[in-house]
Amino acid sequence: MERNLEEYILQNYKRAMEYNEIQTFYQPVIRTSSRQVCGMEALARWIAPDIGMIYPDKFIPLLEKEGLIHLLDATVIRQVCARLRSSITNGETPIPVSVNLSRLDFTLCDIFTVADNIVSDYQIPHDFIYFEITESVMAEQKDLMLGIVEQFRTAGYQIWMDDFGSAYSSLNVLKEFSFDELKLDMSFLRPFSLRSKRIVTGVVRMAKDINIHTLAEGVETEEQFAFLRDIGCEKVQGYYFGKPMPFDDALANLRKKGIQIEATQDRKYYDDIGMINYLSAVPFMTHEEHEALSTARQLNSIPLMLAEFCNDSFKVLFYNTAFEEMAHNSGMFNNVFT
Ligand code: C2E
Ligand code: MG
Ligand code: MG
C-alpha cells in the first residue's frame, strides 16, 4: 500500500469513527429457490471527505495491526442494528443482516458481550443478525473460539463460516465447530470449469450431509446462478444481483431487478426446504457415467420438481433443468412452463 494512505488511515481513523465517515454498505443475498432477497451482508466503507472512498482491504489490515479493529466492528454492528430498528419501527419487512467479525475481535475484547449489548440496546430479535467468521481464526485459537461460538449460538445468533475454501481450509474445523451456514469463497467459481463445478457440488453435498446451510459468494452470471440452484446451494451473493451499496440504493437496485423481499414468516420454511439434498440420486450412477459428466444438468440428471399443494392450489417450489427439459420435451405441465 502507498505509504501516504497508510499514514492517512492511522492519523484519521478516530475522526472517521466519530463523525460517521465509516459507513455500512449492503450486498444482497438471494435465495436460489425463490429468487427473493433473504439477507444482506454488511460491508464497511470509509468515505473520507478529502480523499474519497477507502475500501476495507486498505484499512482493515491496518486497524488489525494497531489493535483497533473491534472498534470498527462495533461501529458496523451499531449501524446495522439502527437500520434494522428503523425497518421494524416503520413496519417494513426487516431483512436479516450478516456482519463480519475479525479474528482479533476475539482477543481484543469480549466480542460476545459487546455485540449482544448493542443488539439489546436496539431491541433487535437475535435471528435478524448473523455473524461471519473466517475459517483461519478457528484453527488458530480453537479452544477460545469453541467457547465464544457456543456463547453466540446459545443466545440464538447464527454463526457463519466465511470464505470457506479460500486459504488454509481445514475440514476438521467443520467437524469441531457447529456452524449454521457455510459461505463458499468466490475463488471456487473462478474459473467456472468442470473441475470447480465438481468441487462446489461436493462441498454442497457434504454441507447438507452435516446439516449446514450453503451460500456461494461471487456470483456474476446467470449461468453460475442456475448451476448453484440446480445443485441445491441455497443462497448466492455477488455482483450479478448487486454490488455493496448504501441500504436505500441496494433496495432500489433490487426493485429495479424485480427481486422481492422474503417474508419473515417464510424464512424457516425455506431454510428447512434448503436442507433437501437434490443430489441424492447421484449414488445410483456407475463410475463410468460419473466420469462422463460435464454440465450442471448432467451432474443432476434425474428430473426433480418440488411442489406444495395448499388451499386447493399447486405451487412449484423448485425444479431443476433436467425437469424443465423433460416437461418441455414431453409437453407435460404446459401451463406451468410457458
Ligand atoms: P468478505 O466478507 O468475503 O466479503 C465479500 C467481498 O467480496 C466484498 O468485498 C464484496 O464486495 C466482494 N464481492 C461480492 N460479490 C462479488 C462478486 O461478484 N465479484 C467480486 N469480484 N467481488 C465480490 P469488500 O466489501 O471489499 O470486502 C472485503 C473483505 O473485507 C470482506 O470479505 C471482509 O472480510 C472484510 N470486511 C468488510 N467489512 C468488514 C467489517 O466491517 N469488519 C471486518 N472485520 N471485516 C470486514
Ligand atoms: Mg463476509
Ligand atoms: Mg466472504
Side-chain angles (χ1 to χ4, degrees):
M1 190 198 313
E2 315 101 63
R3 189 154 206 92
N4 287 347
L5 183 58
E6 195 167 313
E7 275 166 19
Y8 180 92
I9 291 170
L10 290 176
Q11 279 162 12
N12 295 287
Y13 73 85
K14 273 201 188 115
R15 186 200 70 210
M17 289 193 208
E18 208 173 314
Y19 292 98
N20 282 334
E21 289 175 28
I22 303 292
Q23 287 184 19
T24 303
F25 276 33
Y26 293 84
Q27 186 176 34
V29 174
I30 306 296
R31 178 92 66 186
T32 55
S33 61
S34 64
R35 234 185 156 101
Q36 292 180 340
V37 59
C38 60
M40 300 262 202
E41 179 173 5
L43 294 156
R45 298 288 182 266
W46 180 343
I47 322 280
D50 37 1
I51 63 166
M53 174 109 78
I54 313 176
Y55 283 87
D57 61 325
K58 299 282 183 265
F59 58 84
I60 286 175
L62 267 181
L63 293 180
E64 287 185 332
K65 204 167 103 197
E66 298 296 314
L68 299 161
I69 188 68
H70 57 302
L71 303 178
L72 173 89
D73 287 341
T75 303
V76 170
I77 296 170
R78 203 168 291 113
Q79 290 185 9
V80 164
C81 288
R83 176 67 256 152
L84 279 164
R85 171 52 34 216
S86 127
S87 294
I88 295 168
T89 305
N90 295 336
E92 297 154 7
T93 303
I95 306 174
V97 180
S98 62
V99 297
N100 293 281
L101 295 181
S102 160
R103 66 197 163 83
L104 293 178
D105 290 340
F106 295 85
T107 44
L108 287 168
C109 68
D110 174 359
I111 188 63
F112 170 74
T113 306
V114 169
D116 193 49
N117 283 345
I118 299 171
V119 173
S120 299
D121 286 348
Y122 288 91
Q123 295 178 288
I124 305 300
H126 293 192
D127 56 349
F128 278 91
I129 182 151
Y130 311 131
F131 293 93
E132 300 188 8
I133 313 176
T134 54
E135 55 175 324
S136 55
V137 196
M138 308 293 182
E140 276 170 28
Q141 312 171 65
K142 203 181 88 191
D143 292 336
L144 173 78
M145 296 299 306
L146 273 171
I148 302 177
V149 165
E150 244 0 86
Q151 239 181 327
F152 273 99
R153 296 191 77 236
T154 305
Y157 298 105
Q158 287 195 16
I159 297 282
W160 293 4
M161 187 197 265
D162 199 4
D163 301 335
F164 177 73
S166 62
Y168 309 100
S169 291
S170 166
L171 293 175
N172 268 327
V173 172
L174 285 180
K175 193 180 72 196
E176 280 153 9
F177 286 86
S178 303
F179 293 103
D180 299 283
E181 194 151 310
L182 202 61
K183 290 192 80 168
L184 279 71
D185 191 68
M186 68 180 84
S187 56
F188 275 122
L189 302 179
R190 289 167 182 69
F192 192 47
S193 60
L194 169 61
R195 203 174 173 85
S196 63
K197 284 177 193 168
R198 284 196 170 143
I199 293 169
V200 173
T201 305
V203 173
V204 168
R205 183 189 291 120
M206 175 197 65
K208 293 206 186 203
D209 282 347
I210 57 173
N211 224 29
I212 303 182
H213 293 287
T214 43
L215 188 166
E217 296 182 280
V219 170
E220 292 184 351
T221 65
E222 179 66 31
E223 190 195 359
Q224 290 172 339
F225 171 81
F227 167 76
L228 291 160
R229 180 202 61 207
D230 282 7
I231 64 167
C233 180
E234 296 168 71
K235 301 175 185 174
V236 295
Q237 178 183 344
Y239 292 171
Y240 186 56
F241 292 100
K243 291 191 171 181
M245 291 177 213
F247 186 76
D248 290 338
D249 295 349
L251 280 191
N253 169 59
L254 291 169
R255 260 196 306 275
K256 206 173 79 192
K257 288 186 152 68
I259 295 173
Q260 290 174 347
I261 299 169
E262 181 173 285
T264 302
Q265 65 268 25
D266 288 348
R267 194 186 339 161
K268 173 148 193 335
Y269 180 64
Y270 280 121
D271 277 347
D272 288 349
I273 287 173
M275 293 313 282
I276 297 171
N277 190 347
Y278 299 128
L279 304 166
S280 60
V282 170
F284 297 109
M285 286 184 182
T286 64
H287 178 70
E288 286 73 16
E289 283 171 327
H290 195 254
E291 283 300 294
L293 303 180
S294 65
T295 65
R297 185 239 179 281
Q298 289 169 325
L299 286 167
N300 194 4
S301 61
I302 307 285
L304 283 175
M305 183 186 73
L306 182 69
E308 71 175 1
F309 190 70
C310 180
N311 296 335
D312 287 324
S313 77
F314 184 77
K315 185 176 164 202
V316 176
L317 297 170
F318 164 85
Y319 60 87
N320 60 12
T321 308
F323 184 92
E324 193 179 8
E325 283 176 12
M326 183 198 74
H328 272 303
N329 294 343
S330 66
M332 287 161 63
F333 300 101
N334 269 346
N335 52 342
V336 180
F337 302 99
T338 47

